């Protein structure tokens, strides 16, 4: 086997608690995988210091995630490492589906222009983690990264947690206001607290063969059902950086993993697929099965479960790390607000509500894809093959074909943080939705809408109103800015004079019209965005009262009220 990547070794430093007795920290993050590292950086940006504890001293070993989705890249861009990952990664947006020896159809995941981030990149998980570590190291005051620190015990109470940490130099105790459990699919924290993660276990085995070769294939996702070179099973091909190609072979439930991992057994499979004349070297081989499952609650006292520790999916659709990072973004602004005393602790319950919804959606897609790829009975297989056959000529059948619906961010429909929508809007960008990017200009300089949103509350207002309504709108906006100091304004211009002098406001031009089209903007239309850039509320006609109420709601104040009401009712 060849190696194109050498795992870095991060230094272990004996923690001060080994000498000085139990330590204290506002947040401990257990696990420096994609979820834990992203959380540490996001929390640092929200002014929250954390101690990150990992039992290892390097990034992910071997081949795991490779596909990172647009929304994840937007989040990582906000955190300061998305661009580097895109530059290193292999960008793609086209997928092709083959049945037997023929292409039956293709799909484009981002057919339109005007987005900063691509539909997907392929980047080995170890590179992604390395970029995250480097980024985390840029916050030495806020992020205390502790390698070779393994959690061996946890004592969780309603008001805090004590962790027992094992190091090469002995044990120490760490008292934390909050713990983020990011310790992966087999979370020890979950087990030590006696909590369950329930769902479905799939028995089919899959072989990952990462091969190094110079090949002419385009940078697209190719998925074969029942191809002549691997009859009865499926195969997936992806290009990664450094001329590494990921090939996933479905093996069926009875395959012997030890045999399948042997190079002499992998070579003929790969050669049958690529042709005898293609020269390649094997970089990595592993055999995996998977589970689709989640915890019933992601919160236990002040322990918050994130990433694979909270929920797991099959690799089809690339929803694991992508879903995990979207969950992290959901949590961090809320935790930051709660720790700074700017929101009630009940706001954290909305992390559970919203991400349970997200996890269930991811698990649903992932399970359906797995069922389609691995039909369990001859009858189901016959239906599956009929759908594949029809999909070549009939677009309706393509909706039935499922080679993995690729990761999309969840819309938090029904979230207690949303303010009811009016029916004067199309459903795109309804409250709870993730944002849509667009190229815009500010003072003649080109920038991106998501850069202007950042990680604070923002009010987008189409300020291209007539002079007759401008004064009224300006008064309402002034009242909002006075009442809610953390909200900033993004006014789509050109705006009339009355709107030019407002504090905390930026006038944004939309020369190509992408922002207006994606938000269905009309003069006076307004959107309130949360710090995770999701839509909290929108109106055709804004009033100060509506915006202030929506902001209060998005901060979880209505959750506290309803809890107080419940307690009062229980007391009565
Ligand atoms: C074959 C395969 C392909 C995949 N492809 C994709 C894909 O294309 N796209 C995608 O989005 N996802 C994909 N995934 C899923 C992705 O790899 C995971 O979702 C992701 O790694 C989860 O990140 P995490 O940080 O939550 O957990 P992990 O990456 O598992 O990190 C957990 C960390 O916690 C540490 N740890 C564990 N226990 C302790 C302890 N007691 N004390 C201290 N530290 C501890 C571990 O050392 C580790 O560093 C794939 C997975 C597999 C297996």
């Amino acid at each position: 086997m060849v190696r194109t990547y050498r795992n870095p070794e991060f230094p272990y430093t004996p923690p001060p608690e080994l000498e000085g007795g139990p330590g204290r920290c506002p947040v401990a993050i257990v696990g420096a995988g994609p979820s834990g590292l992203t959380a540490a950086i996001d929390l640092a940006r929200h002014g929250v210091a954390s101690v990150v504890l990992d039992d290892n001293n390097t990034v992910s070993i071997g081949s795991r995630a490779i596909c990172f989705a647009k929304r994840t890249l937007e989040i990582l861009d906000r955190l300061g490492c998305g661009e580097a990952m895109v530059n290193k990664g292999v960008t793609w947006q086209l997928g092709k589906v083959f049945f037997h020896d023929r292409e039956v159809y293709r799909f484009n995941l981002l057919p339109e222009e005007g987005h900063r981030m691509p539909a997907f990149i392929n980047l080995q998980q170890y590179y992604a983690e390395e970029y995250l570590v480097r980024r985390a190291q840029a916050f030495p005051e806020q992020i205390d990264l502790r390698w070779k620190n393994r959690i061996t015990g946890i004592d969780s109470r309603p008001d805090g947690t004590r962790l027992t940490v094992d190091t090469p130099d002995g044990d120490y105790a760490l008292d934390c206001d909050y713990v983020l459990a990011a310790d992966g699919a087999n979370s020890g924290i979950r087990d030590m607290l006696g909590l369950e993660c329930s769902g479905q276990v799939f028995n089919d085995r899959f072989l990952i063969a990462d091969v190094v070769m110079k090949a002419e294939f385009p940078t697209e996702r190719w998925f074969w059902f029942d191809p002549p070179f691997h009859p009865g099973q499926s195969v997936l091909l992806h290009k990664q950086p450094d001329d590494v190609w990921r090939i996933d072979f479905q093996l069926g439930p009875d395959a012997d993993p030890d045999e399948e991992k042997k190079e002499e057994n992998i070579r003929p499979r790969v050669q049958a697929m690529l042709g005898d004349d293609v020269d390649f070297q094997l970089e990595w081989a592993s055999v995996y099965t998977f589970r689709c499952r989640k915890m019933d609650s992601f919160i236990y006292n002040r322990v918050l479960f994130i990433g694979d520790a909270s929920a797991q999916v099959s690799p089809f659709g690339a929803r694991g790390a992508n879903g995990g990072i979207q969950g992290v973004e959901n949590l961090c602004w809320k935790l930051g607000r709660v720790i700074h005393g700017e929101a009630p602790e009940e706001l954290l319950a909305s992390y559970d509500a919203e991400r349970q919804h997200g996890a269930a959606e991811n698990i649903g897609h992932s399970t359906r894809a797995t069922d389609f790829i691995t039909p369990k009975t001859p009858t189901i297989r016959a239906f599956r093959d009929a759908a594949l056959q029809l999909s070549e000529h009939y677009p309706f059948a393509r909706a039935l074909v499922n080679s993995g619906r690729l990761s999309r961010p969840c819309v938090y429909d029904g979230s207690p943080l949303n303010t009811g929508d009016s029916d004067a809007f199309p459903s795109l960008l309804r409250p709870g939705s993730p944002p849509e990017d667009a190229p815009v200009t500010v003072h003649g300089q080109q920038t991106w809408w998501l850069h202007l949103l950042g990680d604070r509350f923002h009010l987008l207002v189409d300020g291209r109103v007539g002079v007759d309504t401008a004064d009224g709108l300006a008064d309402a906006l002034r009242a909002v800015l006075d009442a809610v100091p953390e909200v900033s304004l993004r006014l789509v211009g050109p705006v009339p004079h009355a709107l030019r002098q407002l504090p905390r406001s930026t006038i944004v031009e939309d020369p190509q019209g992408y922002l207006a089209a994606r938000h269905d903007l009309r003069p006076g239309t307004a959107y309130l965005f949360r710090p995770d850039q999701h839509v909290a509320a929108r109106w055709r006609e804004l009033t100060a009262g509506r915006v202030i109420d929506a902001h209060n709601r998005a901060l979880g104040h209505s959750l506290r009220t309803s809890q107080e009401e419940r307690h009062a009712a229980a007391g009565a």
Side-chain angles (χ1 to χ4, degrees):
M1 292 218 195
V2 287
R3 273 267 169 274
T4 56
Y5 179 80
R6 291 233 167 273
N7 274 70
E9 283 192 12
F10 303 118
Y12 157 76
T13 313
E17 290 82 4
L18 286 171
E19 300 287 328
R24 261 216 76 78
C25 64
V27 177
I29 301 175
V30 184
S35 307
L37 290 165
T38 305
I41 301 166
D42 210 357
L43 284 175
R45 290 184 51 102
H46 287 289
V48 176
S50 64
V51 177
V52 183
L53 306 140
D54 196 273
D55 56 357
N56 215 324
N57 69 337
T58 186
V59 292
S60 175
I61 293 168
S63 196
R64 295 175 73 192
I66 55 166
C67 302
F68 291 90
K70 178 170 179 286
R71 181 62 197 148
T72 307
L73 298 172
E74 290 168 352
I75 295 168
L76 296 173
D77 193 35
R78 179 174 65 71
L79 298 182
C81 50
E83 190 171 354
M85 292 195 198
V86 172
N87 290 342
K88 175 71 187 174
V90 172
T91 297
W92 65 275
Q93 62 191 46
L94 201 68
K96 288 183 180 163
V97 178
F98 301 85
F99 183 42
H100 299 327
D101 56 351
R102 297 230 299 278
E103 179 187 328
V104 284
Y105 73 95
R106 57 183 66 188
F107 55 89
N108 187 341
L109 293 167
L110 193 59
E112 56 181 36
E113 300 284 307
H115 295 270
R116 174 167 158 78
M117 286 295 157
F120 267 91
I121 62 163
N122 287 345
L123 181 70
Q124 293 90 329
Q125 183 164 334
Y126 42 71
Y127 276 127
E129 288 183 24
E130 200 177 328
Y131 284 114
L132 285 166
V133 172
R134 304 286 174 223
R135 185 66 188 135
Q137 286 167 337
F139 296 89
E141 301 295 315
Q142 291 92 351
I143 303 177
D144 180 356
L145 263 169
R146 297 186 181 183
W147 304 104
K148 292 196 172 187
N149 277 238
R150 187 162 65 92
I151 305 310
T152 54
I154 179 164
D155 176 15
S156 158
R157 300 174 313 276
D159 60 346
T161 306
R162 172 166 280 198
L163 295 173
T164 307
V165 191
D166 180 56
T167 75
D169 296 315
D171 287 0
Y172 68 94
L174 189 60
D175 290 322
C176 342
D177 294 333
Y178 292 91
V179 170
L180 268 49
D183 53 344
N186 299 316
S187 167
I189 301 266
R190 212 178 50 219
D191 290 347
M192 285 186 263
L193 292 173
L195 303 172
E196 302 237 318
C197 195
S198 49
Q200 208 176 338
V201 177
F202 292 87
N203 296 323
D204 257 74
R205 293 184 194 280
F206 288 80
L207 167 72
I208 287 182
D210 277 356
V211 303
V212 184
M213 64 176 177
K214 298 259 188 242
E216 296 302 318
F217 301 116
T219 50
E220 299 165 352
R221 176 189 196 260
W222 287 10
F223 197 103
W224 286 265
F225 289 95
D226 199 3
F229 54 84
H230 192 54
Q233 310 283 17
S234 65
V235 178
L236 176 63
L237 177 72
H238 269 292
K239 183 175 186 188
Q240 307 171 61
D242 306 336
D243 290 320
V244 179
W245 294 74
R246 157 76 64 83
I247 311 173
D248 269 62
F249 291 100
Q250 182 187 356
L251 299 173
D254 302 323
D256 175 345
D258 293 328
E259 281 302 306
E260 295 292 349
K261 267 191 298 198
K262 290 182 180 160
E263 183 156 356
E264 65 263 32
N265 293 328
I266 295 174
R267 281 201 156 267
R269 288 194 192 289
V270 176
Q271 215 78 66
M273 173 181 176
L274 301 175
D276 286 338
D277 53 338
V278 175
D279 194 25
F280 68 88
Q281 287 174 294
L282 195 58
E283 188 189 56
W284 172 264
S286 54
V287 173
Y288 66 91
T289 56
F290 46 78
R291 295 162 290 190
C292 289
R293 55 178 196 160
K294 66 175 181 61
M295 299 174 72
D296 288 338
S297 170
F298 299 151
I299 304 179
Y300 179 84
N301 287 332
R302 285 183 164 193
V303 181
L304 302 146
F305 288 83
I306 59 176
D308 273 14
S310 62
Q312 298 128 50
V313 289
S314 78
F316 307 114
R319 288 168 180 268
N322 286 303
I325 287 173
Q326 286 148 27
V328 166
E329 171 170 70
N330 184 291
L331 175 62
C332 286
W333 72 270
K334 296 174 181 172
L335 188 55
R337 291 288 189 294
V338 170
I339 286 176
H340 294 312
E342 296 161 0
E345 187 149 13
E346 288 79 0
L347 179 61
L348 296 178
S350 73
Y351 162 68
D352 188 50
E354 294 185 335
R355 289 315 301 173
Q356 285 287 343
H357 181 61
E361 186 174 294
N362 282 330
I363 286 173
H365 282 298
S366 189
T367 304
R368 286 190 289 278
T370 309
D371 287 341
F372 193 85
I373 292 164
T374 61
K376 305 289 178 299
T377 67
T379 315
I380 296 174
R381 178 176 285 267
F383 276 115
R384 199 267 320 249
D385 289 356
L388 281 162
Q389 213 125 36
L390 288 169
S391 69
E392 187 174 359
H393 300 293
Y394 302 101
F396 82 89
R398 291 172 199 163
L400 305 173
V401 172
N402 194 339
S403 68
R405 301 257 184 274
L406 283 144
S407 173
R408 306 247 327 127
C410 174
V411 177
Y412 301 133
D413 284 317
S415 165
L417 306 191
N418 295 349
T419 298
D421 198 15
S422 85
D423 55 8
F425 283 100
S427 80
L428 187 73
L429 280 175
R430 63 192 179 276
S433 298
E436 287 280 333
D437 205 359
V440 292
T441 59
V442 175
H443 302 307
Q445 298 290 315
Q446 217 241 283
T447 182
W448 292 94
W449 172 240
L450 296 191
H451 283 180
L452 296 180
L453 277 185
D455 51 16
R456 297 289 179 265
F457 276 98
H458 279 102
L459 188 62
L460 161 70
V461 180
D462 189 337
R464 294 171 289 190
V465 295
V467 279
D468 47 332
T469 51
D471 285 339
L473 181 57
D475 287 346
L477 292 175
R478 240 180 242 108
V480 170
L481 295 169
D482 281 350
V484 199
E486 71 163 327
V487 169
S488 296
L489 265 184
R490 301 286 183 242
L491 283 168
V492 181
V495 300
H497 180 75
L499 294 173
R500 272 188 221 140
Q501 306 305 327
L502 293 167
R504 304 202 307 278
S505 67
T506 304
I507 296 175
V508 180
E509 305 276 345
D510 180 27
Q512 292 150 283
Y514 285 115
L515 189 70
R518 289 175 186 159
H519 294 76
D520 193 35
L521 291 183
R522 296 174 205 168
T525 298
Y527 282 71
L528 180 67
F529 288 92
R530 316 184 325 186
D532 60 1
Q533 304 185 338
H534 278 244
V535 177
R538 59 181 178 175
W539 307 270
R540 285 293 180 204
E541 257 179 65
L542 163 156
T543 67
R546 283 174 164 183
V547 180
I548 294 164
D549 285 351
H551 174 259
N552 266 330
R553 196 176 177 83
L555 275 181
H557 289 294
S558 61
L559 296 171
R560 182 170 57 182
T561 312
S562 49
Q563 199 160 68
E564 277 165 3
E565 280 164 4
R566 276 200 300 280
H567 286 159

